[in-house]
Structures are given as structure tokens and as C-alpha cells.
Amino acid sequence: MTMERIHNFSAGPGTLPRPVLEEARDEMLVYKTAGASIMEISHRSAEYTAVADAARQHFKDLLGLDDDWQILFLQGGASLQFYQTALNFLPAGRTADYVDTGEWSSKAIQQGQFVGTVNVAASSEETGYDHVPPQASWVHSENPAYVHVTSNNTIYGTRMTWDPDVPAPLICDASSDFLARPLDMNRYSLIYAGAQKNIGPAGVTVVLVRSSFMERANPNVPTMLDYRVHASKLFNTPPVFAVYMVEKVLRWLKDLGGLVEMERRNDQKARLLYDRLDRTDFYRGTAQTASRSNMNVTFRLPDEAMESAFIAGAKKKGLVGLKGHRSVGGIRASIYNACDRSSVEALIDFMDGFERDA
Ligand code: PMP
């Protein structure tokens, strides 16, 4: 029996493009001329090397990266990057600035504090992380080692709609909106993202880092946490299957028109959903309008009992993954790159019916 695929609103790991899954399925037993799947051959084989090189080239093409950029496929999730960025780039006696826009930013701050001095340049904690503080309100320390931001706040449904222009190297956790829109890469020194929301399956953390920035890195860090080691060689076994899937997702993204087209589609999907939220008072968006995410759309119903009924009723219609993060409750529809507009339309239909019957 084959089951239908659900309308998948999972916050992560999230939905993947169907053509990507189909291609992987077709290659599952034998990958090209390898006589085995990609999971069963050496990470130093010609076949895997070509996959990883192609994935790197897609990043370069999609983002217009110059040769200063290194593209690393690491493990440990974005959570390890919270620590690894600080370990490499926050020297003794210096301060790093962080913009606190939610739980993941707070975790990055905590990890930074294991290493050195942290200045919270701005925070939206007081208003329940319902917005991203405008850049004009950020208060920087004197000569910070770097500024750390979170581009999209997965739990609170807010995002930074601009590429910050800051007085220090900019480090960005882009886990939940990487490659959802074009980026002005001149503004950034390091971008990291766990792949499992927008660019592939769980298991690989993509780190884009400038060689010129790495020159400033702390020379005394353990080998596995040293970016320069990973940039200079294949130090240990990378997550080959995850990288192989990322290559396919990026190729899919390029084929459909790249980041400009992706942003157009994302804005369109988000607008449909936010317009529905705003049409009546029954559904209440939790993010301030100017900071609304086009990846994670968070909202409340009149009470928690209705929210539970909404989630259960949606599931019966094949709309899955809508429960808000356990720390905030409510509803969260994650509409990442690979979430088709037809899924958003199915959700809106369900919302209309649920409100009518309530
Ligand atoms: N940053 C953001 C913005 C996230 O959404 C998440 C995961 N939900 C993380 C970091 C942590 O990622 P990981 O699970 O890959 O460590």
C-alpha cells in the first residue's frame, strides 16, 4: 500500500522537494557508476568528491560567492556553531555583540559566554520576542570582535528582513531561512545553517566563511573545531548522504530560477497565509507585522482548547506539523522553500472551514 504524502508544515526536519526525493530513490541501490549507493562508498571516492564539489558550486552560483568564501560541510548542528564561532573568533580581552531575537539567539549568547565577554546589542525579549529590533536601536560595544545575528526566528515567527551593515565582521545563524532570498554577501563574514529546514536533511551543518576572516581565528582550538582545518582538507568522514541530498536540493533551487524566484514564491505563500490571518479576529498572528517571517507563520486561536482541536482536525485532513514550539504553544505553519503553494492553499481552506464551524 502506498500512502499519500501529507501537507507537511514541520518546523524541522522539514519537507523536501518531491523531485529530490524521487531522484534519491532512483539512485538508492546504485549511484551512477559506483555500483553501490552514495552511502556505501568512500568519502574520498571520485563519485563523492564530484557530489561535494557540485554542492559547493551551487552555493557559489546561487549566492554569487567570490573566491574568498569557503564552504564547509560540518556536523554538530547549528547548536555546535554557537560555540564554535565564539571559540574561533572571540579572543581573550575582546567583546562580541549579539542581537537577541529568540531562543536560538539566547542559546548562541550562552555559548559565547563560555568563551568570553558578550554584549547584547539589542533584545526583543521584553515583548516576548515578537519582533526583530531595528538596526538603528542596536548598541554596539567598542570595537566588537564580531556581531552575531539570527536571520529567522523559527519559534517566534519573526525574521530580519535586511542584511545588517555593522561595524565588525557579521556572523549569521541562517538555519531557518537560508537560501529563502538573495543575500548581500558583502555584509557577511560567516553564515551557518543546519540543513534540515531549508536546504536538505538533518546531519550536515553548512558553514560559509571568508578565508580573510579565518585568518583572524584563534590559533589554539581543538582540531575538530578549527574551521581552517576543515577548509584545508577533508579531515574526517563528512555526512555523505546529507551532503548528497543538499546537492540535489540546491540543483532543484537553481533549476527553478534561483533565489530571486524563490523569494518571489516565498513572499507569495506567506502573503496568502498572513492575509487569511488578518481577515478576521479569530486567528491572531503573534509577530509584529514588520518582522513577520515568511518561513514560520505563528498564530493563536481564541483559546488553547480550540488550538488542540485545530491541530487534530488539520491532521485528519493531511495537514501535519502545525503545533507551535513547546515553549510558546499556539500554531506554527512552517512554509519553507520546498513547501508547495498548494499546501498553503489547503491550509487556508481548512482555516476557513474551522472558523466557520467554531
Ligand atoms: N538556530 C535556529 C534558528 C534554529 O531554528 C535551530 C533549530 N530549530 C537551531 C539553531 C539549532 O539547530 P540544530 O538542531 O541543528 O543544532
Side-chain angles (χ1 to χ4, degrees):
M1 192 182 89
T2 52
M3 260 181 81
E4 276 300 302
R5 278 172 64 75
I6 51 169
H7 290 294
N8 188 348
F9 300 98
S10 170
T15 190
L16 288 164
R18 188 183 179 108
V20 164
L21 295 169
E22 287 173 341
E23 192 178 286
R25 175 199 62 198
D26 292 345
E27 295 170 350
M28 191 56 77
L29 293 181
V30 179
Y31 176 68
K32 295 195 173 166
T33 57
S37 75
I38 197 79
M39 288 176 277
E40 303 166 288
I41 58 174
S42 169
H43 56 290
R44 301 188 194 278
S45 62
E47 287 88 352
Y48 177 72
T49 304
V51 166
D53 286 349
R56 287 195 176 87
Q57 190 59 48
H58 298 328
F59 278 111
K60 288 184 182 165
D61 295 345
L62 284 163
L63 290 163
L65 302 181
D66 61 37
D67 289 342
D68 193 27
W69 285 96
Q70 295 282 344
I71 300 152
L72 314 180
F73 299 124
L74 306 183
Q75 296 180 68
S79 297
L80 185 59
Q81 291 308 305
F82 297 159
Y83 180 62
Q84 194 171 348
T85 46
L87 188 66
N88 278 267
F89 296 112
L90 179 50
R94 298 281 300 276
T95 299
D97 287 1
Y98 283 71
V99 180
D100 175 26
T101 51
E103 190 166 316
W104 301 110
S105 310
S106 305
K107 289 194 164 136
I109 290 169
Q110 283 164 17
Q111 297 303 302
Q113 285 166 337
F114 275 116
V115 176
T117 308
V118 164
N119 165 53
V120 177
S123 174
S124 51
E125 187 181 7
E126 264 188 23
T127 56
Y129 292 122
D130 64 351
H131 70 290
V132 174
Q135 210 190 308
S137 70
W138 301 1
V139 181
H140 290 291
S141 60
E142 204 185 313
N143 190 22
Y146 58 81
V147 177
H148 181 284
V149 298
T150 311
S151 54
N152 185 80
N153 301 285
T154 326
I155 296 174
Y156 296 92
T158 63
R159 72 168 174 138
M160 195 168 279
T161 51
W162 70 99
D163 300 304
D165 187 5
V166 294
L170 181 62
I171 296 180
C172 178
D173 172 5
S175 292
S176 53
D177 72 346
F178 197 35
L179 305 188
R181 67 173 177 92
L183 294 173
D184 179 356
M185 293 302 289
N186 293 320
R187 298 268 165 98
Y188 298 90
S189 290
L190 187 153
I191 297 182
Y192 62 88
Q196 65 271 18
K197 298 166 196 305
N198 232 14
I199 57 174
V204 62
T205 315
V206 175
V207 177
L208 270 49
V209 56
R210 287 184 177 279
S211 304
S212 48
F213 185 43
M214 270 190 291
E215 280 167 20
R216 303 188 187 188
N218 179 354
N220 289 315
V221 298
T223 314
M224 271 298 283
L225 296 175
D226 189 336
Y227 292 113
R228 288 162 310 177
V229 168
H230 296 287
S232 67
K233 54 177 171 279
L234 198 52
F235 178 71
N236 73 324
T237 317
V240 291
F241 187 72
V243 173
Y244 159 88
M245 292 296 283
V246 167
E247 189 280 322
K248 292 186 193 309
V249 173
L250 268 46
R251 181 152 38 87
W252 167 82
L253 195 44
K254 265 164 82 171
D255 288 349
L256 67 78
L259 301 186
V260 170
E261 173 61 14
M262 197 71 251
E263 181 177 42
R264 192 188 65 77
R265 292 183 185 204
N266 286 332
D267 284 349
Q268 203 173 50
K269 284 184 292 179
R271 200 168 325 114
L272 285 172
L273 201 42
Y274 284 117
D275 282 352
R276 174 61 195 89
L277 288 186
D278 293 342
R279 200 171 307 141
T280 63
D281 292 337
F282 185 75
Y283 299 107
R284 273 178 303 111
T286 59
Q288 288 187 19
T289 313
S291 292
R292 281 173 162 178
S293 167
N294 60 1
M295 297 280 103
N296 311 100
V297 177
T298 50
F299 56 98
R300 306 297 311 224
L301 271 65
D303 60 50
E304 284 182 18
M306 277 200 206
E307 288 170 350
S308 298
F310 180 92
I311 291 162
K315 195 169 178 192
K316 282 199 190 122
K317 302 259 185 211
L319 303 154
V320 177
L322 289 164
K323 200 170 178 349
H325 190 267
R326 60 191 180 284
S327 62
V328 293
I331 312 292
R332 169 174 58 178
S334 297
I335 53 171
Y336 296 126
N337 282 358
C339 173
D340 200 72
R341 182 184 161 134
S342 58
S343 290
V344 174
E345 287 166 348
L347 175 59
I348 291 169
D349 270 355
F350 176 76
M351 291 167 75
D352 288 342
F354 190 86
E355 180 175 355
R356 212 178 307 120
D357 298 342

